[in-house]
Amino acid sequence: MSVMFSIAWTEFKRMFSSPLAWSILAVLQFVLGMIFLVLVQEFIEVIQPETAGMDNAPGVTDTVVAAVYLWAGIIMLAVMPILTMRSFAEERMNGTFTLLRSSPISVTDIVLGKYLGLLLFILLMVVLISLMPLSLQLGTSLDIGKILSSILGLILLLASFAAAGLFISSLSQQPIIAAISSFGLLLFLVVLYISGKSASNGSEIFVYISHFGHFLSFLQGLFQSGDLVYYLLFIIGFLVLTIRKIDNESLQR
Amino acid sequence: MARDVLVQASNLHRHYGQHHAVAGVSIRLQQGEVLGLLGPNGAGKSTTMQILTGNISPASGEITIAGIDLLDDPREAKKHIGYLPEQPPVYRDMTVLEYLRYCAKLHGLRSKNIISAVDFAMQRCGLTDVGKRLIGNLSKGYQQRTGIAQAILHQPSVVILDEPTVGLDPIQINQIRDLIRELGSDHSVILSTHILPEVKIVCDRVQIITQGKTVFEDTLEDLERSHGDPVYLMGFESEIDTQKLSTLEAIDEVESLGFARYKIHFNGQPHMADTLCKLAFTENWKITELTPQSSSLESIFLDLVHQEGQTA
């Protein structure tokens, strides 16, 4: 058990010993900062004057905060594969995976350790992203409940990205291949959502399968246990697949 | 007293597609023994070692490490193994200290023992000066040493080293060989190499593998005794009269190598060096060199590998 945590902590620390984590955090913060700025300006100059006096007008939390989290989710489609690609593919390429394989630890410890390391990074990213919408609290009053639900939604969405990316990484020898394949998988799930919502022959089942549909209800401040269960099943499913893949790897085929 | 058998592997098989990489290798290693695995490239040495360390499973065969079945209880068995693969498994973006501490945790060392274990391993492998440097910035030799430090960190009873002296300079090679000898006194060591003199220097027993099969297995002592003529290499300040050497009964043949150096084949009589020196003294030949040469391992190796190559 403690081995799992030391793997997680080392994974987390190692991300910061290369410029990768720093540049991802910097670029992400810059892009989302710009988006946030545009949204806030739009709210002040357009939306607020128009909706003034309306009953039940959409507040800053709906128009700005939810949009920031939605954008964060979209950008992460491209960012998470870069973070997860290293997990197994890079270790294989550098021959360091032997170290883990020869140590007296179980495959479950290895996979969960790496996953926890990614989760730590995800939490850090979400905290940094959340500082922007929360800074609005200085000037106005926010719907904290909605923000918390958005934060939870983003964490769950990214955690599901990480689990899928981890699995793809376990299939691959080369980090780049892992990154491209995970990006493809994540994008495919978004496409499912779009096709499910399409006006001509949309189907609710596609919307249900896609991870994005479940994320959107969190952004609206809706906490449905069905969505939570969806993400948990998604994550557990991919983690189990990863464990099995790594476990079976040493066997004679 | 019978010593404990630490590694007992029998009849290991492993295929890579059509290629039968390991075809029935058995390995037995006693406590305090250094076993050398010899073989040409692609003979199956590395695969055998990967199987012994639980990195890949054999298609068939049994392995027990310190009495624990590796295939049934890999976690317990792996506690007794330290393994240095061909490519040292080091994270280039960590410092030596960070890396070794991480390895110690992976091997389940308690936190109060970690510092002393890391210190000990670093001292033994000569890493004390580079502890705070990034592994990626170190030379190949130091990376190799870091790999060895990682393998001996948790004081395993079996240390498995895959070509440990590759990429080292001659001084480091000597240090590593000394280290392996030292390890051999309280641990058991399996090392693979294709450097024959290395086997002679560090190993107690040798096992030659070609095309996935064990073709020869013996202790070095027996090997020296039973195979090939003993040979001395002698050098003098000036050319000598080889007729006088040949008068000694024990000498079979004297071969001149030029520049007053001679290869002396004899029948294995004890105290031969002494006899040769006395003769040189009475004849007033000035000796510059006297080296016992046992080419037996080399000749066996070449014979066996060559034979196999022809039958294949």
Side-chain angles (χ1 to χ4, degrees):
Chain A
M1 206 57 177
S2 70
V3 172
M4 193 174 86
F5 291 118
S6 39
I7 292 178
W9 185 239
T10 307
E11 284 292 313
F12 182 67
K13 268 199 310 191
R14 277 188 56 227
M15 280 190 226
F16 287 97
S17 46
S18 73
L20 184 77
W22 297 104
S23 42
I24 284 180
L25 286 177
V27 170
L28 195 70
Q29 203 70 359
F30 176 73
V31 172
L32 283 174
M34 293 302 283
I35 291 173
F36 178 63
L37 199 67
V38 171
L39 288 168
V40 170
Q41 198 174 15
E42 197 180 58
F43 179 79
I44 293 174
E45 290 177 359
V46 184
I47 298 173
Q48 207 174 22
E50 273 179 15
T51 56
M54 259 167 72
D55 276 345
N56 226 347
V60 73
T61 318
D62 296 300
T63 50
V64 176
V65 177
V68 166
Y69 283 102
L70 178 64
W71 273 105
I74 292 170
I75 293 172
M76 285 299 180
L77 284 174
V79 171
M80 278 316 285
I82 300 173
L83 288 170
T84 53
M85 69 175 185
R86 333 170 60 214
S87 304
F88 291 104
E90 197 185 64
E91 295 238 14
R92 282 214 192 93
M93 204 173 68
N94 294 341
T96 46
F97 199 46
T98 321
L99 178 72
L100 295 173
R101 290 229 79 131
S102 324
S103 303
I105 49 180
S106 67
V107 174
T108 314
D109 280 336
I110 299 176
V111 172
L112 290 185
K114 284 187 170 284
Y115 187 64
L116 279 183
L118 284 170
L119 278 189
L120 275 179
F121 192 76
I122 288 172
L123 286 181
L124 180 71
M125 282 195 296
V126 174
V127 166
L128 283 179
I129 293 169
S130 301
L131 286 178
M132 282 185 286
L134 284 177
S135 68
L136 290 176
Q137 183 76 34
L138 294 174
T140 177
S141 63
L142 293 171
D143 183 344
I144 294 295
K146 237 175 202 175
I147 291 184
L148 285 180
S149 139
S150 301
I151 289 178
L152 180 66
L154 188 62
I155 290 175
L156 285 173
L157 182 78
L158 299 187
S160 74
F161 286 5
L166 201 66
F167 173 64
I168 302 275
S169 182
S170 80
L171 298 177
S172 169
Q173 299 274 355
Q174 274 145 6
I176 292 297
I177 308 286
I180 292 171
S181 318
S182 342
F183 180 60
L185 175 69
L186 298 181
L187 213 54
F188 172 71
L189 289 172
V190 175
V191 171
L192 273 189
Y193 176 77
I194 295 171
S195 84
K197 284 281 177 192
S198 101
S200 61
N201 55 356
S203 163
E204 271 303 302
I205 185 122
F206 284 163
V207 177
Y208 187 79
I209 291 174
S210 165
H211 46 22
F212 243 79
H214 302 274
F215 176 50
L216 294 179
S217 60
F218 276 106
L219 292 187
Q220 290 156 9
L222 282 177
F223 180 86
Q224 291 167 316
S225 46
D227 295 331
L228 184 69
V229 170
Y230 170 86
Y231 282 118
L232 291 183
L233 283 179
F234 191 98
I235 292 165
I236 292 169
F238 273 111
L239 288 182
V240 168
L241 281 178
T242 313
I243 292 170
R244 293 203 59 112
K245 165 72 181 87
I246 303 282
D247 223 1
N248 289 343
E249 206 168 58
S250 68
L251 296 180
Q252 176 80 62
R253 269 176 291 274
Chain B
M1 194 186 84
R3 290 181 297 181
D4 294 346
V5 177
L6 287 178
V7 178
Q8 171 88 53
S10 50
N11 217 5
L12 302 175
H13 285 269
R14 173 89 193 186
H15 312 260
Y16 287 118
Q18 288 292 314
H19 179 52
H20 208 162
V22 176
V25 170
S26 297
I27 284 179
R28 200 182 137 86
L29 182 70
Q30 289 180 329
Q31 190 172 11
E33 197 176 31
V34 181
L35 170 69
L37 284 186
L38 266 177
N41 293 330
K45 299 178 305 248
S46 291
T47 310
T48 308
M49 292 186 142
Q50 282 174 329
I51 293 175
L52 288 177
T53 52
N55 271 271
I56 54 181
S57 318
S60 63
E62 279 172 26
I63 308 159
T64 48
I65 307 283
I68 302 158
D69 194 313
L70 179 71
L71 302 174
D72 282 351
D73 194 356
R75 286 180 70 177
E76 266 316 299
K78 282 176 186 172
K79 282 185 186 164
H80 300 278
I81 303 175
Y83 175 43
L84 170 74
E86 243 170 323
Q87 195 186 355
V90 292
Y91 293 105
R92 301 173 59 84
D93 48 15
M94 288 170 99
T95 67
V96 174
L97 258 176
E98 277 172 347
Y99 172 71
L100 290 177
R101 282 191 191 139
Y102 179 50
C103 294
K105 281 184 204 149
L106 287 181
H107 281 292
L109 262 63
R110 283 169 203 284
S111 28
K112 61 177 181 203
N113 299 334
I114 286 179
I115 292 175
S116 62
V118 169
D119 269 359
F120 178 74
M122 281 179 48
Q123 223 163 36
R124 263 191 134 167
C125 299
L127 289 167
T128 330
D129 296 336
V130 295
K132 291 211 168 80
R133 285 180 57 186
L134 283 181
I135 296 177
N137 294 343
L138 294 176
S139 68
K140 172 83 176 79
Y142 272 108
Q143 291 184 10
Q144 189 75 16
R145 291 202 219 183
T146 312
I148 297 175
Q150 162 272 128
I152 62 172
L153 192 63
H154 49 296
Q155 301 275 327
S157 43
V158 183
V159 181
I160 297 180
L161 307 170
D162 201 345
E163 301 191 359
T165 52
V166 167
L168 301 179
D169 69 38
I171 299 167
Q172 290 175 334
I173 288 183
N174 278 335
Q175 289 172 347
I176 294 300
R177 284 178 184 164
D178 287 346
L179 177 67
I180 294 171
R181 276 255 59 112
E182 228 178 279
L183 286 173
S185 58
D186 41 347
H187 309 256
S188 300
V189 182
I190 301 180
L191 87 156
S192 79
T193 177
H194 37 230
I195 307 167
L196 293 169
E198 190 164 283
V199 175
K200 278 182 229 166
I201 296 168
V202 299
C203 297
D204 301 313
R205 205 150 57 79
V206 59
Q207 188 162 350
I208 299 179
I209 296 179
T210 0
Q211 298 179 349
K213 295 190 196 76
T214 305
V215 287
F216 178 85
E217 191 183 352
D218 210 343
T219 62
L220 274 184
E221 279 173 30
D222 288 346
L223 186 77
E224 297 300 327
R225 223 177 289 140
S226 57
H227 291 274
D229 308 325
V231 173
Y232 273 111
L233 200 66
M234 280 187 95
F236 302 96
E237 272 186 7
S238 55
E239 301 281 336
I240 55 156
D241 185 0
T242 52
Q243 287 300 320
K244 283 185 179 154
L245 264 180
S246 304
T247 54
L248 283 178
E249 228 172 69
I251 288 178
D252 297 330
E253 197 195 341
V254 179
E255 229 179 291
S256 175
L257 300 173
F259 302 104
R261 291 173 80 234
Y262 303 90
K263 210 173 185 179
I264 299 163
H265 299 261
F266 67 105
N267 63 5
Q269 172 191 313
H271 313 303
M272 191 61 197
D274 191 43
T275 318
L276 284 171
C277 287
K278 277 180 183 145
L279 179 70
F281 186 71
T282 48
E283 297 288 338
N284 203 21
W285 299 330
K286 296 194 172 58
I287 302 182
T288 54
E289 182 186 347
L290 176 60
T291 325
Q293 256 215 334
S294 43
S295 60
S296 45
L297 182 61
E298 207 157 330
S299 61
I300 290 171
F301 181 74
L302 290 174
D303 280 356
L304 288 169
V305 171
H306 191 60
Q307 268 173 21
E308 285 287 315
Q310 277 178 340
T311 53

